[in-house]
Amino acid sequence: MFEGILKAGNGRLHWVSSAEELCERCSTVLTSLPSVAIIAAVAEGCIFKHFKGTWIDTSTTDEEEVKRLGPLAKACGVDLLEAPLTGGVHFARTGDMTVLVGGDAEVCNQQAAFLSVVGGKVIFCGPWGTASVVKVISNMLAGLNLVGMGEAFMLGKKAGIELPALWDALKASAGNSFVLETEGPFVMNGTFDTDFALKLHCKDFDIGYKMARALKSPLVLHSVAQQVYERARARYGDDAPSSMPAKLLEEDCGVTLQAPGFDGFTYQDRTSNWDRPLKGGTW
């Protein structure tokens, strides 16, 4: 993501000695932080004290925390835009992430050019908190899709279907999903390497569950998926890839989901006739 920003700025890069100096020299500050507590610490310990301008926070965070920080920022001369990113870390490297924006619409319009550099698509969701709700729901649904995909792969494998053929068939069917297209190959090549940690996905499930309880909105299937993710986290650790629930299923069943031909796969290959040796297929 930051490589794209650097290119858009004609390669200009200036080193600073501290976050405080950065805030004092810039009119727009962008952050990407791993937890609600760290976001609050950076905001209250640095940004609100040393910065005047637009603060764009791309972190995945809690709706209520954004609503708390927004007015505090305004009182300090800071316009806060929540701008969580979605689409996967692999797309961040190519500038193809979707930017979900919440905050003041006028401030969003003022930052439109910069936001379009951060991601390939910008969607204004509404006032403070709305973008965080959309992002958390998206990540919860992605987790549910991943658990379902692993079970579908296992069922197909046990039924004697070649997994690459199953993948191609599902991509062209009503059972398709973005997770199937982009994460299925990382299960089949055995790396499970989504570049997104289990602890972060579990954090998003926790935020969503807290929101659902407050709104009295049932989460039957998502609750099951959350428990699968927590089992995977307990077995493989906080920093294991977020596709590891499929690995958990492999070990539970004693059956591998690896298939030949997916080495070197990238997100950009998801809609192509990926070049691999296969008896079946459509090419």
Side-chain angles (χ1 to χ4, degrees):
M1 177 176 67
F2 291 103
E3 288 178 1
I5 295 173
L6 184 59
K7 290 177 182 177
N10 297 316
R12 293 192 301 271
L13 182 66
H14 303 282
W15 293 101
V16 294
S17 59
S18 66
E20 289 79 7
E21 181 185 352
L22 175 71
C23 287
E24 290 167 357
R25 291 182 60 174
C26 295
S27 59
T28 300
V29 167
L30 184 145
T31 55
S32 182
L33 302 167
S35 72
V36 175
I38 293 175
I39 295 168
V42 169
E44 296 170 349
C46 181
I47 292 177
F48 294 171
K49 295 178 179 179
H50 300 279
F51 179 65
K52 304 291 183 183
T54 302
W55 170 30
I56 300 174
D57 183 31
T58 66
S59 314
T60 301
T61 187
D62 180 88
E63 168 199 14
E64 295 303 322
E65 182 65 4
V66 176
K67 290 179 178 178
R68 183 185 76 85
L69 290 175
L72 294 177
K74 195 71 174 176
C76 296
V78 176
D79 289 314
L80 169 60
L81 288 179
E82 54 169 338
L85 307 173
T86 186
V89 177
H90 293 270
F91 276 171
R93 295 194 181 99
T94 60
D96 293 320
M97 296 282 276
T98 295
V99 188
L100 306 171
V101 184
D104 185 275
E106 183 177 348
V107 177
C108 180
N109 288 334
Q110 292 170 356
Q111 294 291 331
F114 179 69
L115 290 169
S116 66
V117 173
V118 175
K121 186 174 185 178
V122 179
I123 299 174
F124 181 70
C125 299
W128 288 319
T130 55
S132 292
V133 171
V134 173
K135 175 60 188 294
V136 167
I137 290 173
S138 173
N139 279 13
M140 291 170 66
L141 189 57
L144 183 60
N145 270 264
L146 188 281
V147 172
M149 180 190 73
E151 293 181 353
F153 278 9
M154 184 60 68
L155 179 60
K157 179 70 176 287
K158 287 192 169 192
I161 309 299
E162 291 186 54
L163 290 184
L166 178 61
W167 182 66
D168 276 314
L170 293 176
K171 285 198 303 173
S173 76
N176 191 26
S177 72
F178 182 81
V179 170
L180 174 76
E181 292 184 357
T182 59
E183 298 192 25
F186 295 117
V187 172
M188 289 186 285
N189 69 21
T191 67
F192 303 91
D193 185 16
T194 57
D195 255 353
F196 190 67
L198 272 173
K199 64 183 177 184
L200 298 178
H201 216 138
C202 289
K203 177 204 73 172
D204 297 340
F205 270 118
D206 288 341
I207 293 173
Y209 188 67
K210 173 186 172 184
M211 181 171 60
R213 288 189 64 184
L215 295 172
K216 295 183 173 58
S217 183
L219 290 177
V220 179
L221 296 180
H222 286 86
S223 296
V224 174
Q226 181 180 20
Q227 291 307 307
V228 174
Y229 268 81
E230 290 295 349
R231 279 188 62 215
R233 183 184 184 185
R235 183 173 299 184
Y236 306 115
D238 284 349
D239 295 322
S242 63
S243 289
M244 290 301 275
K247 176 68 173 176
L248 190 71
L249 185 62
E250 285 186 331
E251 295 180 358
D252 287 347
C253 295
V255 176
T256 180
L257 295 175
Q258 292 185 36
F262 287 94
D263 294 339
F265 179 89
T266 69
Y267 276 20
Q268 284 68 36
D269 298 314
R270 71 190 192 279
T271 57
S272 66
N273 289 331
W274 180 236
D275 184 18
R276 57 186 180 273
L278 180 66
K279 294 176 183 178
T282 58
W283 60 93

